């Protein structure tokens, strides 16, 4: 897009300074709720800009790594306080920039504050164990060393929480960071980095370079001075990053897609299951890797579940993310909207029956944004694209089964394994589901989306690099264990 004259321009943050890219080019971001609302523009950086950021992070790492956890924690607490004081403004920016409703954007920003405080607390928690040696005169224990420079590559769907849940543990465990936020949400990302900058982190400890994934993201993945890469995004890009980092012997962590099922058993609380399916599948316009997309319902409750679901979906108010009455905002971009509409067409062409939705919303203010109706299909079979591929949109696929065993078999018959829910009041069914479901997050009588910051998060199968982030699990990626023997 052409950048308007009065658009606010956000700079890169390198070695403690806000600076322009040497390209002198910027990328403008317009709101998917109303494309006339230009949120701001960010630097279209080059590999040279990235080189400078990596060099700054490299030269800062020794001093930062040598601080005590307690000293590093002070900076994180300060960043949390600043983010909290700017919550309203940053949440509004997020809602404008990527279309999440204002209420959800505020919730996510508050979560960012809580994550910063949680990881600040990590600065005073234990990092190792004493292990009995076979030598009675020796002391053996483990401690941990930071990786060094960590590259953080983030998506647009959680522009505050994901950059923070990757950067905060990296920093508290003594690493320095170069972050490349998703361009589609990089103005929000820049505001988050302003909070770190204003907290007074020493120069070079945290750096941000915006720009194209193929240039800046790939540049981070390829760079020999970047010791670890943590990524959230699509499987296609994640795999490519994993291969690049592996090829040069670096460490990587990938959080990727999901095709998350909800199983509704015959003894489920149907109202609870309906509400959770709607919240898990359609909040954030279905743009969560943990979003519900397959709804597997036992035949004896299928019709009553379906009727209640459709009735509730019909009530959903789609609109501008900034309006109080909006329950669901737009797709985050034109490309994302096109992807969703193309999956809806595929569903119809492959023989699924459209129960509600299926169209782009048009007329009035809708014409200025990328709005799609919340959509529900039935008669979905497992070989259809809408049953197998991540849509990242407000599309639910209903599938009828005769038993829990059949439901579980369907639920597991995809390449992904991120999150999954069951609705049942039967303890035996719960336990079978917990044991047999191939997913990193297994939830009972709760929606598939929504993670708690103090608990490990990550997927099985193709959903992740088999690592976990968040909670104390983060220490495994961001540090290396040293086994120490003293005599
Ligand atoms: N698991 C999740 O939370 C997410 C999944 N997705 C999935 O991915 C689809 C496409 O969304 P995108 O934003 O295009 O995701 P993406 O995977 O292309 O982008 C994620 C991040 O990787 C960067 N990137 C892109 N190409 C790169 C490359 N060659 N090397 C290094 N970094 C690169 C991007 O600039 C962004 O910062 C969505 O429709 C959805 O299905 C997207 C965002 C988040
Ligand atoms: O469900 C959540 O709160 C987190 C989802 C997530 O990590 C993602 O969509 O990338």
């Amino acid at each position: 897009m052409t950048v308007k004259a009065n658009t606010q321009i956000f700079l890169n943050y390198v070695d403690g300074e806000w600076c322009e890219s040497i390209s002198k080019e910027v990328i403008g971001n317009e709101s998917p709720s109303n494309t006339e609302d230009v949120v701001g523009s960010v630097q279209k950086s080059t590999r040279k800009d990235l080189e400078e950021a990596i060099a700054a992070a490299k030269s800062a790492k020794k001093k930062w790594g040598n601080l005590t956890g307690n000293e590093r924690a002070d900076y994180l607490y300060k960043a949390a306080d600043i983010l909290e004081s700017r919550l309203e403004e940053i949440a509004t920016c997020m809602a404008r920039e990527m279309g999440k409703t204002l209420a959800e954007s505020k919730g996510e920003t508050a979560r960012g504050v809580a994550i910063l405080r949680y990881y600040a607390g990590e600065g005073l928690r234990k990092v190792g164990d004493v292990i009995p040696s076979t030598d009675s005169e020796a002391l053996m224990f483990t401690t941990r060393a930071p990786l060094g420079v960590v590259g953080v590559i983030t998506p647009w769907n959680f522009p505050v929480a994901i950059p923070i849940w990757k950067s905060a543990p990296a920093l508290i465990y003594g690493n320095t960071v170069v972050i490349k936020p998703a361009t589609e949400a990089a103005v929000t990302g820049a505001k988050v980095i302003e909070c770190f900058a204003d907290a007074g982190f020493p120069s070079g400890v945290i750096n941000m370079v915006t720009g194209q994934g193929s240039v800046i993201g790939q540049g981070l993945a390829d760079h020999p001075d970047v010791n670890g890469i943590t990524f959230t995004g699509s499987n296609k890009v994640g795999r490519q990053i994993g291969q690049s980092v592996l090829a040069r012997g670096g460490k990587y962590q990938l959080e990727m897609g999901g095709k998350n099922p909800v199983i509704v058993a015959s003894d489920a609380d149907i109202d609870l299951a309906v509400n959770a399916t709607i919240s898990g599948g359609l909040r954030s316009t279905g743009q969560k890797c943990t979003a519900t997309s397959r709804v597997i319902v036992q035949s004896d409750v299928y019709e009553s579940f379906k009727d209640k679901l459709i009735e509730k979906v019909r009530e959903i108010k789609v609109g501008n993310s900034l309006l109080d009455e909006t329950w669901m905002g737009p797709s985050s971009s034109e490309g994302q909207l096109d992807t969703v509409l193309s999956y809806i067409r595929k569903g119809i062409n492959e023989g699924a029956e459209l129960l509600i939705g299926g169209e782009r919303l048009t007329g009035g203010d809708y014409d200025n944004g990328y709005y799609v109706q919340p959509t529900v299909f039935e008669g979905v079979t497992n070989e259809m694209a809408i049953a197998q591929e991540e849509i990242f949109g407000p599309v639910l696929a209903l599938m009828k089964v005769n038993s829990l065993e059949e439901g579980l078999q369907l639920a597991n018959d995809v390449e992904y394994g991120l999150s999954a829910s069951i609705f049942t009041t039967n303890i035996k069914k719960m336990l079978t589901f917990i044991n047999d479901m191939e997913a990193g997050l297994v939830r009972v009588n709760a929606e598939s989306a929504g993670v708690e910051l103090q608990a490990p998060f990550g997927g099985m199968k193709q959903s992740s690099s088999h690592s976990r982030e968040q909670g104390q699990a983060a220490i495994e990626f961001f540090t290396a264990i040293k086994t120490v023997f003293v005599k």
Side-chain angles (χ1 to χ4, degrees), residues 40 47 51 97 113 132 139-140 244 301 357 381 393 400 417 481:
R47 287 275 167 108
E51 286 286 341
E97 194 175 30
V113 173
L139 169 65
M140 188 160 69
S244 305
V301 290
T381 55
K400 197 193 289 184
I481 293 179

Side-chain angles (χ1 to χ4, degrees), residues 38-297:
V38 180
V39 182
S41 50
V42 296
Q43 302 301 304
K44 186 175 178 185
S45 309
T46 64
R47 287 275 167 108
K48 178 88 178 52
D49 300 308
L50 179 65
E51 286 286 341
E52 284 172 16
I54 295 170
K58 189 179 176 189
S59 69
K61 73 180 180 183
K62 180 107 185 79
K63 214 166 157 192
W64 179 249
N66 282 345
L67 293 182
T68 63
N70 197 32
E71 286 167 321
R72 290 194 292 262
D74 281 344
Y75 294 100
L76 292 188
Y77 280 124
K78 274 187 208 138
D81 291 345
I82 295 167
L83 179 61
E84 192 170 44
S85 71
R86 294 182 60 185
L87 191 147
E88 192 80 27
E89 172 222 335
I90 291 180
T92 304
C93 178
M94 182 193 320
R96 283 172 69 204
E97 194 175 30
M98 54 70 67
K100 192 175 286 198
T101 63
L102 188 55
E104 287 178 273
S105 300
K106 285 182 189 171
E108 182 184 333
T109 310
R111 180 168 158 191
V113 173
I115 296 168
L116 280 163
R117 293 193 174 131
Y118 173 85
Y119 280 110
E122 272 295 278
L124 283 179
R125 292 193 195 109
K126 79 170 184 120
V127 291
D129 299 300
V130 174
I131 300 161
S133 168
T134 51
D135 184 334
S136 62
E137 290 172 3
L139 169 65
M140 188 160 69
F141 62 95
T142 58
T143 184
R144 288 180 181 265
L147 297 182
V149 177
V150 170
V152 174
I153 304 174
T154 56
W156 43 263
N157 63 334
F158 282 86
V160 169
I162 295 181
I164 292 179
W165 86 47
K166 290 177 180 300
S167 302
L171 292 167
I172 197 69
Y173 299 130
N175 303 281
T176 54
V177 165
V178 179
I179 180 164
K180 190 218 94 63
T183 306
E184 297 86 341
V187 171
T188 310
K191 286 177 180 265
V192 171
I193 300 304
E194 283 172 0
C195 298
F196 284 89
D198 293 348
F201 278 79
S203 300
V205 169
I206 181 153
N207 307 271
M208 180 196 69
V209 182
T210 56
Q212 293 161 287
S214 55
V215 178
I216 307 303
Q218 192 61 45
L220 271 171
D222 288 337
H223 203 289
D225 290 337
V226 177
N227 307 93
I229 291 279
T230 173
F231 166 87
T232 299
S234 64
N235 279 55
K236 182 169 164 272
V237 172
R239 278 184 202 177
Q240 194 178 316
I241 288 175
Q243 279 164 4
S244 305
V245 183
L246 179 71
R248 61 175 180 80
K251 192 173 181 184
Y252 62 89
Q253 175 187 57
L254 314 171
E255 283 308 329
M256 302 174 286
K259 191 68 195 170
N260 312 298
V262 158
I263 297 180
V264 183
S266 41
D267 49 45
D269 175 336
I270 298 299
D271 290 321
L272 182 70
V274 165
N275 288 335
T277 301
I278 288 178
S279 178
L282 307 177
R283 281 248 180 239
S284 288
T285 323
Q287 301 171 137
K288 295 181 187 178
C289 57
T290 48
T292 302
S293 61
R294 296 176 296 146
V295 191
I296 300 167
V297 189

Side-chain angles (χ1 to χ4, degrees), residues 316-335:
I316 288 176
K317 179 93 186 79
V318 181
N320 188 311
S321 55
L322 292 175
L323 299 176
D324 281 346
E325 69 261 26
T326 296
W327 190 92
M328 192 178 100
S331 290
S332 67
S333 63
E334 191 168 19

